[in-house]
Amino acid sequence: MEIEIYADVVCPWCYIGKRRLEEALASYDGEVTVRYRPFQLDPSPVAEPRPLVEAMAAKFGGPEQARQMFAHVTGVAAGDGLRLDFDRAVAANTFDAHRLVSYAADHGRAAEMVEALYQAYFTEGVDVGSHEALATVAGGIGLDAADVRRFLDSDERVADIAAQLAAARELGVTSVPTFVLAGKYAVTGAQEAQTLLAALAEVEQRESGAHSH
């Protein structure tokens, strides 16, 4: 079964959702292919890196609201074994990070790349909008940092990622994470592993029923 994950690397619920899916897949015995699909929570350009806390305070009506939101999601993430350090996080546009995931997919390293990007953004305070920083993160999982830098500085895959982002909108993906199972069943939000497991089983049953007619 193919599982497509529409997500953004600066979305904490996407990070949590990825972890929960991995947990679900650990106790699922069907054959699964996971594909990472790009989505941008905020496509507007980020002129210069600034602390996420500042950027979010501006967006959500003050630092207090932003802190409450961060505290909530940090607690949920901790329950899934993930450490989020919002005080270090740097606001960034993720378009190039999505290009990098696409590049890594060609080298069979998409899952590792996505994981490394979440970690860089949420734990290490890395500016994932910077080509230099992205190349370093890619180097950290064994990709060729110099080649990645050359790729990011070119316009390779720019049109491709733009088209994929448009396709996600046309599909009606408005919030992430969205998991699409077998190309047609959508599960939205960072669902618990048990819920995802149940969805996998149900889709498997429906799909095998469809094939037997």
Side-chain angles (χ1 to χ4, degrees), residues 22-204:
E22 283 159 5
E23 204 186 308
L25 292 178
S27 46
Y28 176 71
D29 48 13
E31 281 286 295
V32 167
T33 312
V34 176
R35 297 194 194 286
Y36 296 89
R37 302 288 187 217
F39 185 89
Q40 281 195 291
L41 284 174
D42 185 355
S44 55
V46 176
E48 66 203 327
R50 61 172 178 154
L52 182 67
V53 175
E54 224 177 85
M56 285 297 159
K59 211 178 259 187
F60 288 102
E64 199 39 55
Q65 280 83 339
R67 292 231 174 263
Q68 277 174 2
M69 201 178 64
F70 291 151
H72 172 61
V73 74
T74 300
V76 175
D80 286 279
L82 300 176
R83 195 168 75 79
L84 306 186
D85 187 349
F86 282 105
D87 287 327
R88 293 182 70 184
V90 176
N93 179 289
T94 55
F95 191 89
D96 286 330
H98 288 304
R99 283 172 65 212
L100 178 53
V101 172
S102 167
Y103 171 98
D106 285 356
H107 296 78
R109 308 295 282 275
E112 286 162 274
M113 193 71 253
V114 168
E115 184 66 30
L117 285 166
Y118 280 133
Q119 230 167 342
Y121 179 77
F122 285 108
T123 312
E124 292 150 22
V126 171
D127 174 10
V128 297
S130 146
H131 287 182
E132 194 178 333
L134 288 172
T136 303
V137 175
I141 67 160
L143 292 170
D144 181 328
D147 191 53
V148 167
R149 183 65 202 259
R150 183 201 55 73
F151 163 78
L152 290 170
D153 289 343
S154 76
D155 59 4
E156 276 179 65
R157 302 274 166 105
V158 169
D160 178 39
I161 295 300
Q164 288 193 48
L165 290 165
R169 283 195 299 273
E170 273 158 41
L171 266 179
V173 177
T174 53
S175 67
V176 287
T178 291
F179 303 94
V180 177
L181 311 180
K184 53 185 166 183
Y185 306 95
V187 177
T188 327
Q191 304 290 343
E192 297 287 345
Q194 286 315 106
T195 310
L196 290 167
L197 205 50
L200 286 165
E202 189 184 335
V203 169
E204 189 185 312

